Amino acid sequence: MTSAVNSGPWVRRYRPAPEAAVRLLCLPHAGGSASAYHPMALALAPAADVLAAQYPGRQDRFTEPPSESVRELAERIVEAVTGDDDRPLALFGHSMGAVVAYEAALALEAAGRTPVRLFVSGRRAPSAVRVGPELHRGSDAELLRAVRRLGGTDGQVFEDEELVRLVLPALRGDYKALETYEPRPDDRLTCPITVLTGDTDPVTPVADARAWSDHTDGPTELCVFPGGHFYLNDRPREVVDVVRRHLGL
């Protein structure tokens, strides 16, 4: 069983590393939870203190209504990680988590606490607008089909009607947050960005991933891996190696 240290409702630490020189804040994908980053926390400790955000509406926060705003999520998470700990902070977000991480990085820079690096995974740049159906307004079947198409979720989950009923509210809330998110055109980071993506991701073409370079004055690197939207589930070691390299671990 995966166990974690709760640093308030918003943050989980699966392998606390209080002596590490750097912290890495990880933001989950739509429908995901903090436990998605349990393997990364184990792989990087004790060199990095990995913090995994826990959005409301899932796991031990199941009874709370899910947030329907990317910026609200980012603001609450930033509040949770900017207390007395002044160690350098990097951010890693996958899919929806990449957008939350971007907004969190903007909030941190505005507060004078520029992240040492932003890692964005499996998500097109905010400026790369794509027109598509608003899944959060669609039927449960349409939403579940879209999620299933992305992979990354055990197919047996979709066959368990009770489990599906439990996860749908958080999933729909996450999609509403993502689909109603509107980037501010004048926002721009100064921190470096590392972009990670799969070469056959059906929702993140490589060109749209490359466009993250338009969102920072710092350097940007693009890392393309074989695989789809959840390429990182198949290549955890390579992803961790990218993080290690850029954080000097």
Side-chain angles (χ1 to χ4, degrees):
M1 179 179 294
T2 298
S3 60
V5 175
N6 290 7
S7 299
W10 288 92
V11 176
R12 303 291 173 269
R13 299 170 77 199
Y14 295 103
R15 184 63 65 87
E19 303 303 320
V22 64
R23 296 183 297 162
L24 178 66
L25 172 61
C26 298
L27 294 308
H29 57 278
S33 59
S35 59
Y37 291 105
H38 178 247
M40 185 174 289
L42 298 185
L44 291 175
D49 195 1
V50 177
L51 315 176
Q54 184 75 301
Y55 306 148
R58 64 217 71 203
Q59 291 188 338
D60 56 339
R61 301 189 69 185
F62 173 74
T63 59
E64 301 176 48
S67 175
E68 297 179 346
S69 165
V70 164
R71 285 197 181 89
E72 179 189 2
L73 281 171
E75 289 166 3
R76 296 300 302 275
I77 292 165
V78 166
E79 290 173 3
V81 300
T82 54
D84 297 330
D85 196 329
D86 59 358
R87 287 178 294 170
L89 179 67
L91 299 95
F92 185 108
H94 179 67
S95 195
M96 171 184 161
V99 184
V100 179
Y102 169 66
E103 283 293 328
L106 288 168
L108 286 164
E109 288 204 353
R113 302 192 65 172
T114 299
V116 294
R117 184 168 291 269
L118 171 62
F119 297 91
V120 290
S121 167
R123 180 68 189 177
R124 64 186 182 273
S127 56
V129 178
R130 296 188 69 189
V131 178
E134 290 191 314
L135 293 170
H136 76 277
R137 297 181 183 274
S139 68
D140 291 348
E142 290 170 328
L143 180 58
L144 291 171
R145 272 198 303 272
V147 172
R148 194 164 193 168
R149 173 172 169 251
L150 295 178
T153 303
D154 188 334
Q156 292 184 344
V157 170
F158 299 100
E159 308 303 323
D160 187 328
E161 293 185 9
E162 182 176 356
L163 183 56
V164 167
R165 285 197 302 271
L166 290 176
V167 302
L168 266 172
L171 186 62
R172 190 175 294 278
D174 288 353
Y175 267 82
K176 182 176 181 179
L178 193 56
E179 292 175 344
T180 58
Y181 168 71
E182 294 185 1
R184 294 175 292 238
D186 294 332
D187 280 347
R188 194 173 182 87
L189 293 167
T190 63
C191 71
I193 298 179
T194 297
V195 186
L196 305 91
T197 195
D199 61 0
T200 59
D201 188 330
V203 294
T204 309
V206 172
D208 287 356
R210 186 178 288 112
W212 276 101
S213 62
D214 296 334
H215 295 273
T216 185
D217 292 324
T220 305
E221 179 185 5
L222 176 65
C223 302
V224 181
F225 298 87
H229 189 64
F230 283 95
Y231 73 91
L232 70 178
N233 289 351
D234 298 322
R235 300 183 175 274
R237 181 176 298 178
E238 291 95 326
V239 172
V240 167
D241 284 346
V242 169
V243 174
R244 285 186 182 277
R245 174 165 56 88
H246 284 296
L247 296 184
L249 303 178

